[in-house]
Structures are given as C-alpha cells and as structure tokens.
Amino acid sequence: MEEEAQINRVIMASSSSESPHVVILPFMAKGHTIPLLHLTRLLFLRRSNIAVTIFTTHANSPFIRQSLYDTKASIIDLTFPQNFHPEIPEGVESVDKLPSQSLLVPFAKGTKFLQPQFDVILESLRPNVSCIISDVFFPWSMEIASKLSIPRLDFDGASNFAMVFYDILMSQEFPVGSDDEPFSVIPSLPNIKLTKNDIEPEFSHPQPGEHTDFYTEVVMATNKSKGIIRNSFYELEPEFVDYWNKENSPKAWSVGPLCLLATKVLSLEKPMWIQWLDEMLEKEKSVLYVAFGSLAEVTIEQFREIAIRLENSGEHFLWVLRLPSIMEDEFMSGFEERVKGRALLVKNQWVDQLGILSHECVKGFMSHCGWNSVLESVCESVPLLGFPILADQHLNARMVEEYFGIGVKVVARNGSVRGLFGSECIENKVKELMDIEGEKGKAMRKNVQEFNEMARNAMVEGGSSWLTLNLLIDEVICNKN
C-alpha cells in the first residue's frame, strides 16, 4: 500500500506534460549518493517546473529524505535483495556497511535484483519520465531506458582526467616493465606521467573473472548512454574535458563542483569537534584535518605509522577515525592520551566535512584523495596531503601534487606510491603541508585559492558549469535539439 501511495504521489506531481521529469538512481554509498542529492537541488534551482524522483532502498531512504526534506523531490523505496551473496550479511544495504571492501563488486552486481521493481514502477510513470540519471554502478538501468526510449545519463563520480587515463590505458599496453617506472600517457601532455601503481590492479593487471565482467558491463552501458555527468568544472581540468569530448563518447558534462550546493548542517549545539576547533582558533593554532573517508581499509600497522609521525610532527590535528576497533590497539590507545591537548580524535561518528574544512583554523587536509574530498578542499581553499588507498585515489593524489599544485602526497619507503607509507615520509609531508610561510606552502595555498575562485565562478550564472547544465537540460532532459 505504501509503495502504491508513493507512486501515485509521483504521478500527480508529474502530471503536466510540459514539465520535465528526471528519475535519479544513486548508488548505495555516501560518496556516490551525496553529489546526486546536491544535483537534485541544482535541478530545482535551475528549472522551477522540473520534477525529480529518486529511487533508493528502505535502509538508505531516511538519509535521503532528511537531506531533501525542504525540496519537492519524490522518493520511492525499493526492497533490497537479501541472501544474494554468502559473505554479505542480511540487512546490509550500503557499501560502508560491508564486512570488507573486497565485496564491493559482488554488492554492486547484487543490485541487479532491484531491476524488476524499478522497471515496473518506471513503466507506470510513463510518459512523464524524460530522463534517467543513473550511477555508473547500475548498468542494468540501461535496459529499461532503451525499452522505453528514455535517455539515460551516467553519473560518474570520478574526475575527467581519471577517466581519460583509464580509457587510454584500457586500450593499449603499458609502455614500461616496472610497476613504479613513470611513463607519459597523453602525447600532447608529456609532463603528466603515471606509473602502473597509480592504477588499480584489476585495470593494470586485468584477470578474467567477476571484476572484469562487471566493469565490462559498466562500460557497455555507458557507451549506450546519452551522456556522462561529471562532478567537476572545466577550469580545473580543461585539457582532459576537451580530450574526452574530442576522442570519446558519449559526451561528458562537467556541472560541478556540486558540494557548493550543500546545505549548512544546523544544530542547537556545536559538535564537540567544532567546539575544539574554536578553541584552537582562539589559541591561534593551525590545525591539520585527517580523514580517510568511510570506505577506507587501513591496516593497524599503517595506522601506527601515521600516529607516530603525527605525534612527532608537533602539529595540532583533528583525526576522524571510522574504525572503532583501531582504538583497542594498545599503541593507539596510548597515543590518544599522549597527544591530548593538541589533538582530537573523533571515533566512529559522522562529521560534516565541509564544516570542518571551512573552519578558519584548518590549514591542511590529510586525505585519501577521493574525488569528493579533493573538490571539497578546493571549495574551502585547503591544501591536501594525499594518502591514497584504493580506486582512483592514487591518480587523484598524483594530480593534486603534480598537475594542480595544491598539495603533496606520501610515498612508500622504496619510493613506490603503494605499500606501507613510512612514518618518516608522513612526518616530512605533514611539516611540508603545514609550513604556511614556506615557499611550497605559499605556492599550494595560492593555487588552491585560485581554483576556489574558479570553482565558485563556474557555478554562478554565466559560468562554465552553469552553462553546461543549461545545455544538458535543454538537449537531453527536455530534448530541445
């Protein structure tokens, strides 16, 4: 009954044939979902008559509903499949709840069991649905889009440069023997060099199996889509936007940074970490923010290396730890006591990252370099210390230092970008990042401030992202070619 009521509300909201109706299908991970919620707000701001319906699952619905409570978005809950994989516990409906990130692809493949529900409901909304915006991890959404002749847009949460690199490297042999030997990827950009270790093993050393099969499905669905929405802006990576749209299809539309649409988190009382930052500001202390996202799997040995050098660096820092078991380690427990006063450890709590980065005393961000975090740093003018762990993070960390010039990155003791990042390198990089008056520190801050201004200009009327979204709405969503 509740599902029928949800559908009826959507049909009533979308009854006008003059109103474009966008269906959004976000993947069940905060880093994928949140940008699409920001895009939803942006669509409402740009077209007053637009209707937006978001499909999610029962466990993920409260977060989405709370995030969009003040909008006219319609939200439909699907029943998430259970017992489709022996290692994924019953009730797990989001990536951050998985026992291991090695289960990401089985989880993503399991979402195909949502397809029958999604297809039936989508058909009931016809002819009002004018466009489907689907996360790339739902290649199965292409089937119903094709059947109903509804244009499908991929939402790709990665950067343009990462996708250019992956696309090129998927179609050619690596020109080096060593995993750590630098090589040029794009002849027209000879100064940009990568190593095999900047690419995830399933792409640099592909093997037949579940991962390869899944990513093949993703690529095939993308190739059939009407376009790719990317959370970026032209001025940040112009060579790569141009390269993609000249050499590849479908067209990439850079409409971000979408985090500029984030609503301020309001509460009656400041969280204790903001109160602590206020205290540091009163004491005129610069603070390093340390966080590795909600999906990072870091060994206890690596955590110890980080802790040793954060302690020895003498810097003030705020460290968000999402793995409570880490603090059961004897060394880490003692570490917290030793740094008391000049550091704060926030354990297993969700924090408003933009709120932290925007705090006046935060002068550096030690990050896994997920693309959302890179953009948030740019939008708050905070330089980065790249500590990549998986996916496109190694590429992002390299580009943060060598292409954008807005940060530095750690390397292993043997010089590789993978492996155990030693405490000596971590301490040196922390000091380099936080040396506000040093030559490199000044250059990083100047560069990130310039990108900040470009980002904000891109999103206002007449800016590159503003114009790109207008064209996307007219050409694809409203089909005014």
Side-chain angles (χ1 to χ4, degrees):
M1 290 295 293
E2 173 58 25
E3 185 175 280
E4 288 183 11
Q6 290 184 77
I7 297 170
N8 287 334
R9 286 196 293 270
V10 174
I11 291 173
M12 290 176 66
S14 310
S15 58
S16 171
S17 60
E18 298 299 319
S19 300
H21 182 186
V22 179
V23 163
I24 295 181
L25 193 58
F27 186 61
M28 299 81 173
K30 291 291 195 297
H32 291 240
T33 297
I34 291 173
L36 281 173
L37 301 184
H38 294 158
L39 178 62
T40 300
R41 289 186 175 277
L42 190 55
L43 289 171
F44 285 137
L45 287 172
R46 199 57 57 81
R47 294 287 195 275
S48 60
N49 68 332
I50 203 165
V52 179
T53 300
I54 299 176
F55 282 80
T56 184
T57 68
H58 295 291
N60 293 292
S61 183
F63 175 78
I64 292 178
R65 291 177 186 276
Q66 182 181 18
S67 300
L68 298 176
Y69 77 94
D70 57 343
T71 74
K72 59 179 182 179
S74 299
I75 300 164
I76 293 179
D77 302 343
L78 304 176
T79 300
F80 197 81
Q82 301 296 325
N83 304 316
F84 63 87
H85 192 280
E87 295 181 60
I88 298 179
E90 187 173 348
V92 171
E93 297 187 16
S94 60
V95 173
D96 59 298
K97 303 294 185 184
L98 290 173
S100 168
Q101 289 309 299
S102 64
L103 295 169
L104 171 61
V105 167
F107 178 90
K109 287 175 67 70
T111 65
K112 186 173 175 60
F113 291 107
L114 295 169
Q115 184 177 357
Q117 302 171 66
F118 177 74
D119 289 0
V120 167
I121 295 172
L122 197 75
E123 285 198 74
S124 74
L125 303 178
R126 191 176 57 169
N128 296 308
V129 177
S130 48
C131 179
I132 298 172
I133 299 176
S134 169
D135 192 284
V136 294
F137 277 11
F138 296 130
W140 46 263
S141 65
M142 190 68 241
E143 295 178 29
I144 189 67
S146 297
K147 177 183 176 182
L148 301 181
S149 299
I150 299 172
R152 174 188 186 265
L153 290 166
D154 260 9
F155 177 76
D156 187 342
S159 62
N160 285 282
F161 67 76
M163 299 318 299
V164 165
F165 291 151
Y166 276 117
D167 182 74
I168 293 173
L169 295 173
M170 287 294 90
S171 61
Q172 68 178 39
E173 294 291 326
F174 284 84
V176 292
S178 165
D179 287 352
D180 291 305
E181 182 182 347
F183 61 92
S184 296
V185 181
I186 304 175
S188 59
L189 298 172
N191 293 331
I192 298 177
K193 298 182 184 296
L194 305 180
T195 70
K196 278 188 180 182
N197 268 332
D198 287 309
I199 311 296
E200 283 298 278
E202 57 261 35
F203 297 106
S204 61
H205 303 86
Q207 301 293 326
E210 185 177 44
H211 282 70
T212 300
D213 291 346
F214 176 70
Y215 287 114
T216 299
E217 289 179 40
V218 168
V219 170
M220 290 176 64
T222 297
N223 290 340
K224 295 177 183 177
S225 296
K226 294 297 183 182
I228 305 168
I229 296 177
R230 293 216 170 109
N231 185 12
S232 187
F233 58 102
Y234 181 79
E235 292 80 2
L236 183 65
E237 41 177 353
E239 296 93 340
F240 298 98
V241 176
D242 291 342
Y243 185 94
W244 180 273
N245 286 332
K246 179 182 177 183
E247 304 292 338
N248 298 81
S249 63
K251 182 178 179 179
W253 304 78
S254 296
V255 300
L258 294 170
C259 61
L260 290 177
L261 273 293
T263 55
K264 188 174 182 180
V265 177
L266 300 175
S267 59
L268 295 177
E269 185 178 348
K270 289 183 180 180
M272 57 93 169
W273 49 89
I274 297 296
Q275 294 180 39
W276 183 81
L277 289 174
D278 288 344
E279 292 175 12
M280 294 302 103
L281 183 61
E282 288 180 7
K283 296 177 181 179
E284 299 183 344
K285 302 296 184 182
S286 296
V287 173
L288 171 69
Y289 172 48
V290 184
F292 303 122
S294 58
L295 306 182
E297 291 185 341
V298 183
T299 66
I300 186 62
E301 182 182 15
Q302 184 66 84
F303 267 114
R304 288 174 182 168
E305 294 286 321
I306 298 169
I308 289 169
R309 292 308 172 169
L310 285 176
E311 181 179 354
N312 291 352
S313 72
E315 299 291 343
H316 291 70
F317 59 91
L318 168 62
W319 190 354
V320 175
L321 291 158
R322 300 191 187 278
L323 298 174
S325 60
I326 291 295
M327 300 315 298
E328 297 173 7
D329 177 71
E330 185 178 349
F331 173 84
M332 292 297 291
S333 180
F335 161 75
E336 183 175 19
E337 184 61 31
R338 290 192 302 274
V339 297
K340 190 174 181 180
R342 69 175 177 89
L344 179 68
L345 275 60
V346 180
K347 290 163 280 187
N348 203 35
Q349 293 190 60
W350 183 88
V351 301
D352 173 18
Q353 181 157 285
L354 274 172
I356 291 173
L357 289 170
S358 66
H359 200 283
E360 191 177 344
C361 74
V362 174
K363 303 299 183 182
F365 182 14
M366 185 176 180
S367 167
H368 61 310
C369 274
W371 187 237
N372 288 334
S373 291
V374 173
L375 289 173
E376 288 171 356
S377 270
V378 166
C379 290
E380 298 301 338
S381 299
V382 179
L384 289 145
L385 196 174
F387 196 101
I389 298 167
L390 49 79
D392 60 345
Q393 295 162 15
H394 290 86
L395 287 174
N396 296 342
R398 181 174 292 278
M399 297 296 279
V400 157
E401 181 173 49
E402 299 176 11
Y403 180 66
F404 302 131
I406 59 173
V408 293
K409 70 177 188 301
V410 294
V411 293
R413 289 190 175 101
N414 63 359
S416 175
V417 297
R418 287 187 187 264
L420 180 71
F421 298 125
S423 55
E424 306 88 352
C425 174
I426 294 169
E427 181 177 351
N428 291 338
K429 295 298 182 179
V430 166
K431 289 181 176 178
E432 189 175 6
L433 182 75
M434 299 301 286
D435 183 8
I436 297 174
E437 297 302 321
E439 184 178 346
K440 189 161 186 176
K442 286 182 177 179
M444 287 187 289
R445 283 163 175 76
K446 178 177 179 291
N447 291 339
V448 77
Q449 179 60 43
E450 289 176 353
F451 280 124
N452 170 288
E453 293 170 5
M454 293 179 198
R456 295 178 183 278
N457 288 335
M459 293 294 282
V460 300
E461 185 171 355
S464 61
S465 295
W466 190 94
L467 292 170
T468 297
L469 182 60
N470 263 14
L471 283 172
L472 177 65
I473 292 172
D474 288 341
E475 292 185 12
V476 180
I477 296 175
C478 296
N479 194 26
K480 294 181 180 178
N481 288 322

